């Protein structure tokens, strides 16, 4: 009888520990970075770019990822190796993925490697709120909520190789979205600083944009190029 009681106590302790671990995992991030990239700034670097069989993507910002992050600036990654990317789970999203979340890396591929990397590294860390299909459909939905290119062009900022002030770019995106973006720059093959990626923050449920609790490290110059594509 005592042995049975001990076994029950051990089981209770195990289940309690498991519950705490699950709860901890569920609370392991505070918000998302929703990141979009300008293809012209990806392609005109020294590394260049490649297009899959579907051809050159539209001249528009494309999704890079939806990344769980913490308020202290750290982030979880590769959280669940037991749930790897499975393309069959997003088969109904494939057409939209190819147009809104295009891959530009070389050698040319169909995008599955890129999307798989995003799920395995970032998506698995959001499993407490988003399953694999929801992770990708949520990111696609967020993109429809803010048209970055239109926001910039409405402010007279065009992808024509001209230079624009960083402040004017941020102001245009904030005017359209209601929230302050973080801008990441890279350099073209001639070493010129240019608009590369736009970060906006999303609440921990993935449903609404919010003001960013913290921005990544790095900075752009006061004036940057917006290259054509």
């Amino acid at each position: 009888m005592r042995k049975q009681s001990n076994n029950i106590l051990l089981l209770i302790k195990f289940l309690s520990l498991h519950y705490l671990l699950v709860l901890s995992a569920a609370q392991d991030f505070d918000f998302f970075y929703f990141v979009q990239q300008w293809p012209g700034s990806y392609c005109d670097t020294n590394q260049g770019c490649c297009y899959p069989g579907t051809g050159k993507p539209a001249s528009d910002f494309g999704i890079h990822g939806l990344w769980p992050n913490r308020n202290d600036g750290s982030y979880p990654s590769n959280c669940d190796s037991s749930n790897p990317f499975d393309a069959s789970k997003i088969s109904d999203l494939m057409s939209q993925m190819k147009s809104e979340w295009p891959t530009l890396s070389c050698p040319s591929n169909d995008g599955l490697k890129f999307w798989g990397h995003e799920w395995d590294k970032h998506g698995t860390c959001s499993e407490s709120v988003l399953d694999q299909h929801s992770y990708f459909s949520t990111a696609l939905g967020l993109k429809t909520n803010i048209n970055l290119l239109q926001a910039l062009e409405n402010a007279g900022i065009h992808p024509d190789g001209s230079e624009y002030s960083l402040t004017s770019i941020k102001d245009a995106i904030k005017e359209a979205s209601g929230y302050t973006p973080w801008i990441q720059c890279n350099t073209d093959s001639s070493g010129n600083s240019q608009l590369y990626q736009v970060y906006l923050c999303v609440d921990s449920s993935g449903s609404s944009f919010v003001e960013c609790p913290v921005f990544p490290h790095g900075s752009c110059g006061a004036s940057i190029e917006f290259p054509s594509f």
Side-chain angles (χ1 to χ4, degrees):
M1 191 70 174
R2 180 178 296 176
K3 183 177 180 181
Q4 185 178 7
S5 297
N6 288 339
N7 287 340
I8 292 173
L9 286 172
L10 285 172
L11 179 60
I12 291 172
K13 288 180 179 178
F14 173 78
L15 291 174
S16 297
L17 178 60
H18 179 71
Y19 173 77
L20 289 172
L21 289 172
V22 170
L23 186 63
S24 175
Q27 298 176 338
D28 199 30
F29 69 98
D30 301 303
F31 68 97
F32 290 96
Y33 282 132
F34 178 56
V35 186
Q36 297 186 63
Q37 64 182 4
W38 179 248
S41 300
Y42 183 100
C43 291
D44 69 0
T45 60
N46 287 324
Q47 70 180 10
C49 66
C50 297
Y51 312 128
T54 51
K56 183 180 179 180
S59 180
D60 192 11
F61 284 87
I63 298 170
H64 186 171
L66 183 63
W67 304 340
N69 229 77
R70 304 186 185 106
N71 288 338
D72 65 2
S74 66
Y75 61 91
S77 64
N78 302 104
C79 295
D80 186 3
S81 60
S82 69
N83 186 19
F85 176 68
D86 181 354
S88 69
K89 293 182 177 179
I90 58 168
S91 57
D92 61 314
L93 303 176
M94 205 58 71
S95 176
Q96 196 176 0
M97 292 285 291
K98 289 177 180 178
S99 64
E100 305 297 338
W101 202 324
T103 181
L104 299 168
S105 62
C106 299
S108 178
N109 62 81
D110 57 9
L112 295 180
K113 183 178 180 181
F114 179 28
W115 305 329
H117 168 78
E118 291 302 307
W119 168 255
D120 293 340
K121 182 176 181 180
H122 302 288
T124 56
C125 300
S126 66
E127 289 176 334
S128 58
V129 291
L130 301 173
D131 61 21
Q132 195 165 145
H133 185 276
S134 297
Y135 174 75
F136 290 102
S137 63
T138 293
L140 292 169
L142 289 168
K143 187 176 186 300
T144 65
N145 288 340
I146 172 63
N147 187 324
L148 293 179
L149 183 57
Q150 183 178 340
L152 293 171
E153 294 199 312
N154 286 347
I157 301 169
H158 306 283
D160 56 8
S162 298
E163 287 196 355
Y164 299 93
S165 74
L166 180 62
T167 298
S168 66
I169 291 171
K170 289 181 176 179
D171 287 348
I173 295 172
K174 184 172 183 178
E175 175 69 22
S177 68
Y179 299 98
T180 305
W182 186 76
I183 307 299
Q184 181 182 2
C185 294
N186 67 358
T187 54
D188 64 17
S189 55
S190 300
N192 299 308
S193 180
Q194 57 189 4
L195 170 61
Y196 174 41
Q197 298 198 127
V198 176
Y199 287 60
L200 286 166
C201 290
V202 180
D203 66 20
S204 59
S205 70
S207 59
S208 303
F209 288 111
V210 295
E211 283 294 347
C212 289
V214 61
F215 288 123
H217 297 296
S219 61
C220 298
S223 182
I224 57 177
E225 284 188 14
F226 192 9
S228 60
F229 179 63

